[in-house]
Amino acid sequence: MRVLFATYAETTHYYNMVPLAWALRTAGHEVRVATQPALMDAVVQSGLTAVQVGEDHDFMSVIAAKADDPTWGERITTALRTGGADMDYPALLAFFDEAVETSAKVFNDPMVDALVAYAREWQPDLIIWENFTLAGAIAARVTGAAHARLLWGADAQTRIYNRFQALLAEQPEDRRRDPMQDWAAAHLERFGVTYDADVLTGQYTLDQAPESMRLDVGLRIVPFRYVPYNGPARVPGWLRERPERPRVCVTAGISMRYMLGYDPIPVSTLKLFADADVEVVATLAVDESELTDVPPNVRVVNFVPMHALLPSCAAVVHIGSAGVVSTAMAYGVPQLTLVPDLWDAVVRADMLREQGAGLDLTLDRATPEAIRDNVLRLVHEPEFRAAADRIRGEMLAEPAPSEIVPVLEKIAAQR
């Protein structure tokens, strides 16, 4: 069969798709990845066939425009954390109005027409689309292909959308309005196709989270095992040596580096590890001048593949990015999240804490002293490692990407 993966230009989101794409490819299926220009090199470097569709998104213009709105990140974070449980209909309506303008339109409008055109040309049997790339679902609806949404983190957006739908149904007819549906339906109407609710949620949802970290949102789930992929990578020589002390990874991931041009964890944070009986590996992009005060037990490197580094670690400090969280869970590593006002990072932090596999600090509490003290708890209190190992066991019990290929074949055959 022909399988088209669709993703907007976000490297780490695409990386979550690669193992499944290769599972389908090695099973003998034709696989192509449709994306915006900025992601083409990353697709080619992953060994898959890239198809350029449309223009690049300009999410940085949203970031710039929201610089004068200091509550924007907090509003999103709070809403996703609670699932909108304490929000009324007008508040949720405003939330989704903003989501359409700052997310759905920004990521999808530059590529939707070209993606539909390519899907009509290539005629895929199945379209697998990244969580934010609703253009993939639109293309599937237009061409009649089966389609599935692939999650890279907790499905917080569906949880809050379910809450909105429940309140929407209670409203008088003249007050009912669904910004997400209106946006998607307008695109579909241009292609002569009617709206269906699965355009927003997928006919199926491919969920890589272990069971205890999965939100129940009432959708048809195809669970499968998360397999880390960090892009082209080399294992440095020092990493092949067994650490003499407990090793701690400090990382901001790569998404924020691509987006902001820097890592939002200051090098000064590392100084207070000087008197700790640990070895720290910090994957931070810094100037040479910033390394003068780094303690001797701290190694600062620009990049190390997390799937190579984390198996040797006793703890990891990060900002909640989905790839680092999932990779740490895959290797049973306790986690400290420095929670930013950034989409659903807070949801993952809450779930890790509730499962006993992690701790978290909001940015206003994340002093170097607090970071060090929490890291030492993760390293020396065995219950954190035990909880992390339990989650790792859940992940290993899920089917590997290759094992769900027959499921995807049946989904495509039933379209």
Side-chain angles (χ1 to χ4, degrees):
M1 65 179 176
R2 291 182 170 183
V3 184
L4 182 63
F5 283 75
T7 177
Y8 81 106
E10 172 51 55
T11 305
T12 54
H13 293 195
Y14 168 64
Y15 283 174
N16 283 274
M17 308 179 90
V18 172
L20 181 59
W22 265 112
L24 286 157
R25 187 75 185 94
T26 55
H29 299 295
E30 293 185 68
V31 174
R32 295 184 183 178
V33 180
T35 189
Q36 296 164 325
L39 195 65
M40 292 289 286
D41 285 348
V43 176
V44 172
Q45 289 166 1
S46 72
L48 294 166
T49 302
V51 180
Q52 181 174 313
V53 290
E55 305 296 330
D56 286 322
H57 68 84
D58 187 17
F59 187 61
M60 288 308 300
S61 66
V62 175
I63 299 293
K66 291 296 184 179
D68 296 328
D69 183 0
T71 66
W72 178 54
E74 182 181 354
R75 291 199 307 273
I76 295 174
T77 299
T78 301
L80 291 173
R81 182 178 218 165
T82 65
D86 56 350
M87 300 171 71
D88 58 14
Y89 172 71
L92 283 166
L93 181 60
F95 176 89
F96 282 104
D97 272 330
E98 191 168 42
V100 167
E101 294 300 322
T102 62
S103 177
K105 287 183 177 181
V106 173
F107 298 139
N108 293 278
D109 284 1
M111 67 183 294
V112 65
D113 286 8
L115 181 58
V116 169
Y118 182 70
R120 281 173 163 169
E121 172 192 334
W122 197 54
Q123 288 294 304
D125 302 290
L126 173 65
I127 296 178
I128 296 176
W129 47 281
E130 177 275 335
N131 201 20
F132 284 173
T133 312
L134 297 164
I138 292 171
R141 180 74 175 158
V142 172
T143 60
H147 66 100
R149 180 177 59 123
L150 191 148
L151 295 179
W152 36 259
D155 201 359
Q157 67 192 69
T158 298
R159 180 173 65 177
I160 192 171
Y161 187 68
N162 286 348
R163 164 71 175 169
F164 174 62
Q165 288 292 300
L167 295 182
L168 180 68
E170 299 173 357
Q171 306 306 310
E173 188 68 31
D174 61 348
R175 294 192 65 200
R176 293 182 188 176
R177 184 169 63 83
D178 184 338
M180 294 295 296
Q181 177 177 330
D182 292 346
W183 169 81
H187 276 299
L188 290 165
E189 185 178 351
R190 294 190 297 109
F191 299 109
V193 179
T194 57
Y195 173 81
D196 188 277
D198 65 27
V199 170
L200 300 181
T201 58
Q203 293 170 336
Y204 290 84
T205 294
L206 311 181
D207 196 336
Q208 303 178 79
E211 187 174 0
S212 62
M213 295 286 289
R214 190 178 301 148
L215 295 177
D216 182 5
V217 292
L219 298 177
R220 289 184 290 190
I221 300 293
V222 178
F224 73 107
R225 188 187 314 159
Y226 173 80
V227 175
Y229 172 75
N230 302 129
R234 298 176 182 175
V235 176
W238 59 264
L239 187 52
R240 297 168 59 184
E241 300 174 5
R242 189 178 185 87
E244 297 180 358
R245 293 182 286 182
R247 178 176 283 163
V248 175
C249 171
V250 177
T251 182
I254 59 175
S255 291
M256 295 302 288
R257 185 185 297 183
Y258 287 154
M259 188 180 300
L260 302 176
Y262 62 88
D263 288 323
I265 296 179
V267 177
S268 59
T269 301
L270 306 175
K271 294 179 182 179
L272 287 181
F273 285 108
D275 61 351
D277 188 26
V278 295
E279 170 194 311
V280 177
V281 177
T283 65
L284 302 175
V286 298
D287 294 329
E288 289 292 328
S289 61
E290 298 180 81
L291 300 179
T292 55
D293 295 329
V294 171
N297 63 330
V298 174
R299 183 190 300 269
V300 179
V301 293
N302 184 277
F303 173 79
V304 181
M306 285 292 112
H307 69 272
L309 173 61
L310 289 183
S312 68
C313 291
V316 58
V317 181
H318 56 72
I319 62 169
S321 58
V324 176
V325 171
S326 295
T327 305
M329 290 193 299
Y331 293 110
V333 182
Q335 308 180 44
L336 172 62
T337 306
L338 310 181
V339 187
D341 288 333
L342 179 66
W343 193 241
D344 61 346
V346 66
V347 177
R348 286 187 287 274
D350 286 348
M351 296 175 84
L352 283 168
R353 185 182 64 255
E354 290 163 4
Q355 292 299 319
L359 298 169
D360 56 85
L361 292 167
T362 54
L363 293 184
D364 61 320
R365 294 168 46 233
T367 63
E369 294 85 358
I371 294 172
R372 181 196 58 193
D373 292 347
N374 278 269
V375 165
L376 294 180
R377 284 192 63 195
L378 295 177
V379 169
H380 296 300
E381 296 179 21
E383 56 266 32
F384 291 109
R385 172 65 75 167
D389 282 339
R390 175 179 50 76
I391 293 175
R392 169 176 162 78
E394 290 179 19
M395 296 184 80
L396 293 175
E398 298 288 6
S402 59
E403 294 177 283
I404 69 163
V405 170
V407 177
L408 299 178
E409 291 170 345
K410 290 180 181 179
I411 290 172
Q414 294 169 357
R415 64 177 181 146

